[in-house]
Amino acid sequence: MMNIDYSQFLSMIPEVTLVALLIIIFIADFATAQRVVLPNAESKAVSPRAWFNPLVCLLMAVHIVINIFPVTAAAAFGNMYYTTPAIGVIKTILALGALIVLIQSREWLSRPDTQFKEGEFYMLLISTLLGMNMMVSANHFLLFFLGLEMASVPMACLVGLDKYRHNSAEAAAKFILTATFSSGVMLFGISFLYGAMGTLYFDDLAMKMQATPLTITGMVFFFSGLGFKLSLVPFHFWTADTYQGAPTTVTGYLSVVSKGAAAFALCAILMKVFAPMVEYWQYLLFIVIVLSITIANLFAIRQRDLKRFMAFSSISQAGYIVLALIGNSAMSFTALSFYVLIYVAANMAVFSVISSVEEHNNGVVDMEGYNGLYKTNPRLAFLMTLALFSLGGIPPFAGMFSKFFVFMAAVKGASISTTAGSLAYAVVFIALVNTVVSLYYYLLIVKAMYIKHNEKPLPTFKSASSTKLALAICTAGILLFGVCSMVYEWIDSATMASL
């Protein structure tokens, strides 16, 4: 009879608290669901549970407070699961992004056709966050893949949650089909690695790793599968359609939290498992980064639907996120974490504005609909401008500092006298030039809001209190995270303590 040491769960406090959240939310939803009256021919309103969203947000805030303090390095379940102070910071950043999404979602979930799905939305979102936590804490490819699928399958359900509006069902179908294919490719690559070295433990793989045709093929297939989650070029084809069809709140979650978790996992595995093959995956990253940033920027200029516009923006931002990895140093992990934190604040601010405008103006998401927005809704236009400036890297907003640290991490230790070093400088230069291009298309939205005339501008409306709170949190991050050095030092100290 096998004895289980239940004390191992003490090393998994973030996951344990998320499971507790799921149980509490399920019980609350189950116990009060009969009070919700579905809309029909005679009743067009749904009795709202006004307390439900604040309860879920409070529980998520408690989860963040419990896990925000640094933890000591620990392993559990035969070393398949491990945690470090840096991983604790990662999970806090992901949970903060999820909290902003939960706050922002209240206005959308108050619609008569979505109120009865409120409980399902919360449980699916927290399930994806639980999967992401398992993914970044994995020390074994089996646990990593289980965490990845635990995040991907509920995400497909979230994308299709609005199945009767805005092509949500089509978006979910495209997402699940491409996710299934990418998972198969990734598993194929993992099987190559297992066949070459006879183990799936990250530590053992790193010790045995040699550049052979089998391991190189496995690495490429693995990177291809995870490249889908990050929507890097050329694995990005699903992104625009899925972002456009999914509910706007889900699109925001998909663009920041899901992308951030995939970036963290890629960083950990490349720098740990494939460290002996750095000269191979660095060249792979050079190609993918240049393609992602350049192609996404060029396609973003052509977009008129704001959700498709932000889809290509997210592809470009993924290139900047991964750019930190080519330095292959502790600073790479710190810069990547800081960039994702700033990206969460800026991107969620943009999606909060898009969601608010969409909810109050019959689903308006095209750029022309924002012409003259500052005349009727000056505060929303101003906050949107701040967020776009941060995404574009304009000082003194936090986005400029995050890009600076990424550029510094990319060339740290690189020598211009070597081929890899000179290519690293070249990639950073191309990324810097593309920053100017991205600033141009972000300014297209600013131009629409402040300069272009609209004979029928969007009417003046008051955003929900939850939307105002989400925007306040995001704006504070945009303005303060860059100039408050303690944020970067918090991430850097956790990274140093994990070495």
Side-chain angles (χ1 to χ4, degrees):
M1 181 177 180
M2 181 173 21
N3 294 321
I4 300 178
D5 182 8
Y6 290 100
S7 65
Q8 295 180 98
F9 286 104
L10 295 176
S11 303
M12 305 175 64
I13 298 300
E15 289 77 17
V16 171
T17 52
L18 284 178
V19 171
L21 258 67
L22 278 173
I23 294 172
I24 294 172
I25 293 169
F26 174 78
I27 293 174
D29 185 46
F30 182 78
T32 61
Q34 68 270 19
R35 300 177 188 174
V36 177
V37 181
L38 300 183
N40 52 45
E42 298 178 357
S43 174
K44 296 183 179 180
V46 180
S47 302
R49 293 175 286 185
W51 52 267
F52 203 1
N53 184 270
L55 172 65
V56 176
C57 294
L58 177 62
L59 291 173
M60 182 58 71
V62 171
H63 164 77
I64 294 173
V65 171
I66 291 173
N67 297 288
I68 196 171
F69 300 103
V71 296
T72 56
F77 301 103
N79 289 326
M80 292 181 69
Y81 174 98
Y82 82 115
T83 186
T84 63
I87 290 176
V89 168
I90 291 168
K91 293 177 180 178
T92 300
I93 293 173
L94 297 179
L96 178 61
L99 174 61
I100 295 173
V101 172
L102 288 171
I103 295 171
Q104 178 205 322
S105 68
R106 186 177 188 183
E107 187 173 15
W108 168 60
L109 291 171
S110 65
R111 281 191 342 217
D113 61 328
T114 54
Q115 283 179 5
F116 67 96
K117 306 174 187 176
E118 190 174 9
E120 288 89 336
F121 174 78
Y122 298 144
M123 286 184 281
L124 287 170
L125 186 142
I126 295 175
S127 296
T128 64
L129 187 60
L130 177 61
M132 294 172 197
N133 279 11
M134 297 300 293
M135 186 170 68
V136 298
S137 279
N139 196 36
H140 189 281
F141 268 120
L142 178 58
L143 183 61
F144 168 80
F145 185 76
L146 289 175
L148 183 68
E149 293 305 298
M150 195 188 305
S152 298
V153 175
M155 186 64 75
C157 299
L158 285 173
V159 172
L161 202 64
D162 236 357
K163 62 182 179 180
Y164 298 118
R165 291 168 58 101
H166 307 306
N167 303 316
S168 185
E170 179 186 350
K174 290 179 178 178
F175 180 84
I176 196 64
L177 287 173
T178 49
T180 303
F181 179 75
S182 68
S183 296
V185 171
M186 180 183 293
L187 272 180
F188 195 43
I190 293 173
S191 69
F192 273 91
L193 297 175
Y194 183 76
M197 285 164 282
T199 181
L200 292 177
Y201 279 97
F202 291 172
D203 296 328
D204 295 340
L205 285 167
M207 288 189 294
K208 297 180 180 181
M209 186 69 66
Q210 293 181 351
T212 65
L214 208 58
T215 56
I216 293 174
T217 305
M219 180 192 69
V220 172
F221 281 168
F222 167 78
F223 181 83
S224 300
L226 205 53
F228 161 82
K229 308 299 179 185
L230 275 163
S231 60
L232 294 167
V233 175
F235 318 107
H236 67 291
F237 294 102
W238 62 276
T239 311
D241 290 339
T242 299
Y243 279 34
Q244 183 182 16
T248 303
T249 300
V250 175
T251 303
Y253 182 71
L254 189 62
S255 69
V256 291
V257 182
S258 177
K259 193 180 295 292
F264 291 135
L266 179 64
C267 178
I269 293 175
L270 286 182
M271 296 177 65
K272 185 174 184 180
V273 177
F274 296 108
M277 297 170 57
V278 61
E279 67 273 13
Y280 291 90
W281 56 257
Q282 268 188 338
Y283 287 103
L284 183 63
L285 287 179
F286 291 154
I287 298 170
V288 170
I289 289 168
V290 172
L291 289 177
S292 297
I293 296 176
T294 305
I295 293 177
N297 282 347
L298 294 177
F299 274 85
I301 296 173
R302 298 168 55 88
Q303 304 306 313
R304 289 298 174 262
D305 183 291
L306 275 187
K307 291 169 73 173
R308 293 184 70 88
F309 177 93
M310 293 306 297
F312 285 103
S313 167
S314 75
I315 297 171
S316 175
Q317 296 290 343
Y320 284 104
I321 292 172
V322 176
L323 179 62
L325 301 185
I326 64 177
N328 192 32
S329 64
M331 187 179 180
S332 298
F333 197 87
T334 303
L336 185 148
S337 303
F338 186 70
Y339 195 100
V340 171
L341 176 62
I342 305 305
Y343 182 56
V344 166
N347 221 48
M348 284 311 305
V350 172
F351 276 104
S352 294
V353 175
I354 294 175
S355 179
S356 184
V357 172
E358 182 182 17
E359 292 299 324
H360 289 89
N361 295 282
N362 300 318
V364 171
V365 290
D366 59 287
M367 193 178 299
E368 285 73 17
Y370 282 70
N371 291 348
L373 180 66
Y374 88 99
K375 294 181 179 179
T376 55
N377 297 275
R379 293 179 182 176
L380 281 183
F382 178 69
L383 295 179
M384 181 79 146
T385 302
L386 293 183
L388 292 171
F389 281 176
S390 182
L391 288 174
I394 295 180
F397 305 107
M400 186 276 289
F401 295 95
S402 64
K403 280 186 167 60
F404 174 77
F405 287 127
V406 162
F407 293 157
M408 290 292 293
V411 297
K412 184 176 177 59
S415 175
I416 198 71
S417 60
T418 64
T419 303
S422 58
L423 285 175
Y425 278 101
V427 171
V428 169
F429 177 75
I430 294 172
L432 187 60
V433 172
N434 272 279
T435 301
V436 180
V437 179
S438 66
L439 180 59
Y440 166 74
Y441 64 74
Y442 287 134
L443 287 175
L444 291 177
I445 303 178
V446 179
K447 177 183 177 182
M449 293 188 297
Y450 284 93
I451 298 176
K452 286 194 173 182
H453 177 69
N454 192 348
E455 294 182 358
K456 295 182 179 179
L458 295 175
T460 302
F461 61 88
K462 181 178 287 188
S463 300
S465 299
S466 56
T467 302
K468 293 178 181 178
L469 177 58
L471 282 169
I473 295 172
C474 293
T475 304
I478 293 169
L479 297 176
L480 299 178
F481 285 164
V483 295
C484 293
S485 60
M486 66 182 68
V487 178
Y488 184 86
E489 290 171 357
W490 168 60
I491 298 172
D492 188 54
S493 61
T495 303
M496 294 297 104
S498 302
L499 296 178

